[in-house]
Amino acid sequence: MKVSVISRVAQSLTSRRGARIWVGAIIVCIAILFGALSSLEAPARSDSSLVDGSDSAKVQQILDENTTSNNTTALLVATKADSSALTNQDKSALDSQSKALSEGAKVTGGRFLFSDDEQAAMLPLSWSTVSTEADKQTLQDIRDWIQQNPVQGLDLRVTGSTAFAVDITNAFAGADFTLLAVTVSIVAVLLILTYRSPVLWLLPLAVVGIADRSASLVANLLGNLWGLSFDSGVLSVLVFGAGTNYALLLISRYRDELHKTEDHRQALSKAWTSSLVAILTSNLTVVVALLTLGLAVMDDTRGLGIVCAAGLLIAAIFVLLLLPPALAMSGRKAFWPLIPRPGTEIKKENFFGRAARVVMLRPGLNLTALVVLLLVLASALAGTRIGLSQTEQFRTPTQSATAMEQLSAHFPAGEAQPITVLAHADQVDALNSQFAGVENVKRVGAATQVGTSDWQQISVIPEVDPNSAAAKELVTELRTLTADQEQVLIGGQTAAQLDSHQMHLRDLYVIAPLIMIICLVMLGWLTRSWRTALALGLVNLLSAAAADGLGSLVSSLVFDAKALDVQVPLLAFVFLVALGVDYTIFFTHRVQQDAQDLELRKAVVQAASRTGSVITSAGLVLAGVFAALATLPLTVLGQLGLIVGLGVLLDTFVVRTLLLPALFSVLGSAKRPIFGKSSSSAEATAYSSALKESEINA
């Protein structure tokens, strides 16, 4: 895009007549969008953890197609409130409760099965399936009936796959509103502290809020059109975080120009022009990185990436096209009481400039020390385990998780969730012999025919907890044993968890390198120097690894989690690398502009002074909104928010404040230019002229 075109757009957005036209046109577009899409509901979250094309998915499909029974099952687990053994009176009360429950909740239940230690009882429940939502309602009706008809001295809880699905749904009930309220509150407080104005913070918050609502509507449309599954809470966090960052950068440049220019519209036009490249480069980097998640095998990862990419694009559009006219119409008075005017003193060098100057006194030593610090933090990843069990998915106790833990504690571990093997009749005897000698196999059940098909079903009962790593290793061993035998499929809940785990890791190994390539390309385009781009990319990668390592350590303390959820590594990598590079782009672009007129070290100090406050504010905002994910009860979102929040703070206070100035000084000492010529040189020259006119010196 030619500079003349950028200048004309900037003048149109900020002129007296143009600003009103832009605001009016955007309001009309918003009204049309809201009217057309507001009736669309968000697509339902997928309750299935099955991976398309996996053995576990094939097993479930064969069973569904060849089973005449259309029933859903759940398990009712009963224990004493004081964990003592069940008495004969308790057992009689439970048998009576079983009969009453069958009649009251319209389900089928037999007699309670009692554990060998007499401390727990289990009752299988079943009912006719109509739909997934109907199953969830039936499960909730069972729980409501139990709550209304308690058995004195006993705790009764329902677990099973449907129960876990209900608990996840309940966990998100009202959570989106809570998350949005917390996010808005955090952004509002930080904007007020940043601008120290009772008025100015309202403009970016309103613009980003409208962008968030627009992004949600577009996400619902894409989700319904393409069958995408996504978390709207993460979408809102990204839109608010990134959108506010863009607004902070734009308004910071606007405030700088107001100190030099009498006409506030001309100042805003210059600010928009000088910040456009940084905002677009930052936004497109994140958008393209998120779009690579569309290559993921896992539905939840693929859907989240696509809708978040659309959401961030919408956020940038609103900040670049709606916020400037709003600021132009408000004028200088929006900054009240600290109104910037020409002639008022601009602090030449603040804390961030002094920090950059000190670091560059011995850049090689300081750069080495900071890299070692990040490597030490990243080394914590070596001891990090990936994968949470089904009962570890919730940060707060739930019926399904608690009941499953009690079931595993008092009954044979694998009885509730056996490994399902499908084979042909001529293979059954050989498989029984093979499986019987495998470690951690308690017993192999008799083969039964699956409907009228040629398949025989064999249940392998493990001795270990079906949610444990040992159970997944057992599934892997069974699959290895049968790898040379055709028409043998191994499925079940444990196998489904293993398949999901493997595919999430596959997505990480495939997509993470693509994201790094995208960041390198964007940094190369910005700096026009592959040497500089490669150095910045490696710093960004190291910073992300350090944040993951630090986050995993803190997560084990804050959430008492023994591992990271399998979704966290990829999502954290995407957000840390793609969002973390934002601050590198903002700072590098300012150094690039200032270096047109100043010696490199002076340009770095001046860029640090001018961008220090805004990047710090942006980092605090982004870290704060991701920390808001901790308000949700799911471990995966809490871990994701914690790791990304810590990573953003690490980028803000260590990488951008200390490491990048040292890196630029080291690169500059090679007597080779660290920036190449770019198409934005005319814009950089214009900016340098403005610096001369305002007599801003390092």
Side-chain angles (χ1 to χ4, degrees):
M1 185 180 290
K2 296 182 179 180
V3 175
S4 58
V5 175
I6 295 176
S7 299
R8 285 198 295 271
V9 174
Q11 292 169 4
S12 173
L13 287 167
T14 57
S15 67
R16 186 180 303 275
R17 182 169 177 269
R20 294 174 180 173
I21 293 175
W22 276 99
V23 169
I26 292 175
I27 288 176
V28 170
C29 292
I30 292 172
I32 294 173
L33 178 69
F34 283 23
L37 302 181
S38 58
S39 60
L40 281 178
E41 294 185 1
R45 292 183 176 90
S46 175
D47 296 323
S48 175
S49 60
L50 296 174
V51 180
D52 290 342
S54 66
D55 277 8
S56 54
K58 293 175 182 176
V59 167
Q60 189 60 50
Q61 182 180 1
I62 292 171
L63 293 177
D64 290 341
E65 291 175 349
N66 294 278
T67 301
T68 55
S69 173
N70 193 27
N71 286 346
T72 298
T73 61
L75 291 174
L76 175 60
V77 181
T79 56
K80 294 275 284 188
D82 58 2
S83 300
S84 61
L86 298 170
T87 65
N88 290 332
Q89 184 179 357
D90 293 330
K91 294 178 180 179
S92 297
L94 287 174
D95 285 335
S96 300
Q97 187 79 340
S98 172
K99 296 176 183 178
L101 174 61
S102 298
E103 297 175 1
K106 308 300 182 186
V107 296
T108 301
R111 294 179 62 85
F112 272 94
L113 305 175
F114 298 96
S115 62
D116 292 339
D117 60 11
E118 297 287 315
Q119 291 183 2
M122 174 181 66
L123 175 66
L125 301 173
S126 64
W127 62 90
S128 180
T129 298
V130 177
S131 66
T132 301
E133 291 304 314
D135 286 343
K136 290 182 179 181
Q137 184 58 52
T138 300
L139 194 287
Q140 190 60 53
D141 291 342
I142 294 171
R143 286 178 170 175
D144 292 342
W145 189 94
I146 292 172
Q147 186 176 7
Q148 295 165 9
N149 299 272
V151 179
Q152 187 175 4
L154 297 179
D155 290 331
L156 277 72
R157 299 181 177 90
V158 183
T159 189
S161 58
T162 304
F164 274 97
V166 168
D167 286 340
I168 291 176
T169 300
N170 291 340
F172 280 99
D176 288 344
F177 175 79
T178 301
L179 180 62
L180 183 61
V182 172
T183 301
V184 171
S185 300
I186 291 172
V187 172
V189 169
L190 291 175
L191 286 177
I192 292 172
L193 294 176
T194 299
Y195 295 134
R196 288 170 290 174
S197 168
V199 178
L200 182 59
W201 65 277
L202 290 170
L203 293 178
L205 185 62
V207 169
V208 176
I210 296 172
D212 173 63
R213 179 56 182 159
S214 301
S216 296
L217 294 175
V218 172
N220 292 344
L221 175 63
L222 296 178
N224 284 286
L225 285 177
W226 296 339
L228 303 177
S229 177
F230 61 91
D231 189 296
S232 57
V234 175
L235 173 62
S236 289
V237 163
L238 277 175
V239 171
F240 266 96
T244 305
N245 279 1
Y246 305 149
L248 283 167
L249 179 64
L250 175 62
I251 294 176
S252 173
R253 299 298 287 263
Y254 177 35
R255 182 161 47 189
D256 286 350
E257 293 296 337
L258 286 174
H259 282 287
K260 301 177 292 185
T261 307
E262 186 65 40
D263 185 349
H264 76 273
R265 297 180 185 276
Q266 184 180 356
L268 182 57
S269 177
K270 289 181 179 179
W272 189 89
T273 301
S274 59
S275 60
L276 178 64
V277 171
I279 292 176
L280 283 182
T281 304
S282 169
N283 179 258
L284 292 177
T285 300
V286 183
V287 167
V288 177
L290 286 169
L291 285 176
T292 61
L293 294 180
L295 301 175
V297 172
M298 302 305 296
D299 291 339
D300 49 1
T301 303
R302 184 169 60 251
L304 185 64
I306 293 173
V307 299
C308 285
L312 289 193
L313 194 59
I314 291 171
I317 290 172
F318 273 85
V319 170
L320 288 173
L321 300 183
L322 180 58
L323 182 58
L327 290 170
M329 294 168 66
S330 301
R332 291 180 190 270
K333 58 182 179 293
F335 289 87
W336 183 87
L338 303 176
I339 301 177
R341 299 185 185 279
T344 56
E345 182 181 359
I346 302 178
K347 195 172 183 179
K348 295 180 180 179
E349 187 175 302
N350 56 20
F351 165 79
F352 300 100
R354 290 192 296 273
R357 187 181 295 279
V358 170
V359 166
M360 289 191 294
L361 292 176
R362 303 185 71 179
L365 178 62
N366 290 320
L367 179 62
T368 301
L370 292 168
V371 168
V372 169
L373 171 62
L374 295 180
L375 286 172
V376 170
L377 293 176
S379 66
L381 287 173
T384 300
R385 185 169 66 85
I386 305 298
L388 296 175
S389 69
Q390 195 175 32
T391 57
E392 294 173 324
Q393 297 294 325
F394 301 94
R395 290 176 42 231
T396 54
T398 62
Q399 270 207 50
S400 55
T402 303
M404 185 61 71
E405 290 171 352
Q406 292 173 339
L407 199 64
S408 300
H410 298 290
F411 287 90
E415 295 288 352
Q417 293 182 7
I419 298 171
T420 302
V421 180
L422 296 185
H424 286 178
D426 57 350
Q427 299 171 304
V428 170
D429 292 339
L431 291 176
N432 283 338
S433 300
Q434 284 182 298
F435 294 163
V438 176
E439 185 181 1
N440 288 330
V441 172
K442 181 179 180 180
R443 64 181 176 86
V444 180
T448 59
Q449 184 159 346
V450 180
T452 58
S453 69
D454 295 331
W455 293 102
Q456 296 285 317
Q457 178 178 344
I458 305 171
S459 292
V460 178
I461 312 301
E463 288 185 340
V464 294
D465 182 351
N467 291 307
S468 66
K472 295 182 179 67
E473 291 174 1
L474 175 57
V475 172
T476 301
E477 185 174 357
L478 296 181
R479 286 177 171 174
T480 302
L481 283 175
T482 59
D484 59 345
Q485 302 182 45
E486 296 182 0
Q487 302 298 321
V488 175
L489 300 174
I490 298 179
Q493 183 64 34
T494 303
Q497 292 176 13
L498 174 64
D499 292 334
S500 175
H501 182 97
Q502 291 176 334
M503 288 303 102
H504 273 109
L505 292 182
R506 173 267 176 198
D507 289 343
L508 173 65
Y509 299 146
V510 170
I511 294 174
L514 292 178
I515 293 174
M516 283 307 306
I517 292 173
I518 290 167
C519 289
L520 286 174
V521 170
M522 298 305 287
L523 288 170
W525 177 82
L526 177 70
T527 63
R528 295 305 196 273
S529 168
W530 291 111
R531 180 174 68 107
T532 303
L534 181 60
L536 293 175
L538 291 175
V539 166
N540 196 27
L541 177 61
L542 181 57
S543 175
D548 275 330
L550 178 61
S552 65
L553 289 176
V554 177
S555 175
S556 64
L557 299 175
V558 175
F559 302 120
D560 193 26
K562 299 177 182 177
L564 293 178
D565 186 89
V566 71
Q567 289 182 271
V568 169
L570 177 57
L571 294 180
F573 184 86
V574 173
F575 296 148
L576 286 171
V577 173
L579 292 175
V581 81
D582 279 3
Y583 307 125
T584 298
I585 289 173
F586 293 164
F587 181 67
T588 301
H589 186 243
R590 191 64 178 255
V591 172
Q592 188 178 17
Q593 289 179 325
D594 293 350
Q596 297 287 329
D597 191 55
L598 299 170
E599 184 265 333
L600 179 61
R601 292 198 175 198
K602 292 182 179 180
V604 171
V605 172
Q606 179 165 282
S609 296
R610 292 291 177 263
T611 64
S613 296
V614 64
I615 291 180
T616 299
S617 299
L620 291 173
V621 168
L622 195 58
V625 296
F626 267 96
L629 287 175
T631 61
L632 299 181
L634 292 185
T635 302
V636 57
L637 295 180
Q639 290 180 336
L640 180 63
L642 178 66
I643 291 175
V644 176
L646 289 173
V648 169
L649 294 178
L650 199 64
D651 264 325
T652 304
F653 293 104
V654 176
V655 175
R656 188 267 309 158
T657 303
L658 302 174
L659 197 153
L660 287 185
L663 177 65
F664 283 139
S665 182
V666 170
L667 291 175
S669 65
K671 305 302 181 183
R672 294 171 58 189
I674 66 173
F675 300 116
K677 294 182 179 181
S678 70
S679 59
S680 61
S681 58
E683 180 259 320
T685 302
Y687 182 75
S688 299
S689 300
L691 288 177
K692 287 181 180 179
E693 293 172 3
S694 59
E695 298 181 353
I696 297 178
N697 298 311

